[in-house]
Amino acid sequence: MMKIVQWMIILVCIGYASSIFADELNGNEPQKSFWETYTSALRGDKVSQFNVGVIYERGIGVDKNQSMAANWYLKAAEQGHVDAQYNVAIMYVTGRGVDQNTTAGMMWLASAAKHGDKESRKLLLEVIDGKYDKVAKPKLDKGISIIALRMKTIKDTMICDGAGECSPIKAQTTVTSKVKNGSYYKVSGIGGKNGWEPYEKEGWIDEASVEIRR
């Protein structure tokens, strides 16, 4: 299998790719190889989508771009490409190319492990055990007051306390906020079965994971 690396080193960029594919792309016509592969990826071929992810992650014939790498790995992962599932899981867990999201990382590791990938299973157990809990957690203070906002959470939203301890919150949950710190909103209230209730704990949500309703 076209596995990239065995393990993660926290906050260090990990080089991973198929050495055979890399040799091909570093041959006489790397740009031609890229565009042929890219065209196939645009047409929905999951192997090509994975390979384009490798190209961008390693900067083979193009500038390195972690966000583009994650985007193409995710496309391939959604079509069942096991190595892409492993790679995008690592990017979610470490916060490379995407917002750090341990829940999403665990989901993709579980999917790859379900298809028999032993490395994904081993890494999943390490994530569950908390080995990577200190990766890319937000450092939050009191923030500044803002006009009260109402928003809806979207898929894979995390709510974090001031120490950076995060937990998932269900999609399409209504939350309110009166304080903002950088890209994070402090939750003042939350909707539930019993209607709107004040949020007594300290909880922050990334603005990228909500839809503002005002």
Side-chain angles (χ1 to χ4, degrees), residues 94-136:
T94 59
R96 288 196 308 109
V98 293
D99 291 333
Q100 193 268 344
N101 189 329
T102 303
T103 301
M106 291 172 65
M107 179 192 75
W108 287 117
L109 287 172
S111 179
K114 183 178 179 180
H115 288 86
D117 189 71
K118 294 181 179 179
E119 293 176 24
S120 294
R121 176 178 174 78
K122 188 171 183 178
L123 183 56
L124 175 61
L125 293 175
E126 290 189 349
V127 174
I128 291 173
D129 288 341
K131 185 173 181 179
Y132 306 103
D133 282 353
K134 294 183 179 180
V135 177

Side-chain angles (χ1 to χ4, degrees), residues 187-209:
V187 178
S188 60
I190 189 166
K193 294 181 179 179
N194 299 320
W196 184 92
E197 296 179 354
Y199 191 77
E200 302 295 344
K201 301 178 182 178
E202 181 182 16
W204 299 81
I205 291 180
D206 191 335
E207 64 183 357
S209 64

Side-chain angles (χ1 to χ4, degrees), residues 154-202:
I154 57 179
K155 184 179 180 182
D156 298 328
T157 300
M158 303 290 284
I159 186 167
C160 306
D161 63 20
E165 296 299 324
C166 303
S167 58
I169 182 172
K170 187 177 180 180
Q172 295 303 304
T173 298
T174 300
V175 298
T176 57
S177 176
K178 299 178 181 179
V179 175
K180 191 176 184 185
N181 180 350
S183 64
Y184 285 84
Y185 290 103
K186 186 176 183 180
V187 178
S188 60
I190 189 166
K193 294 181 179 179
N194 299 320
W196 184 92
E197 296 179 354
Y199 191 77
E200 302 295 344
K201 301 178 182 178
E202 181 182 16

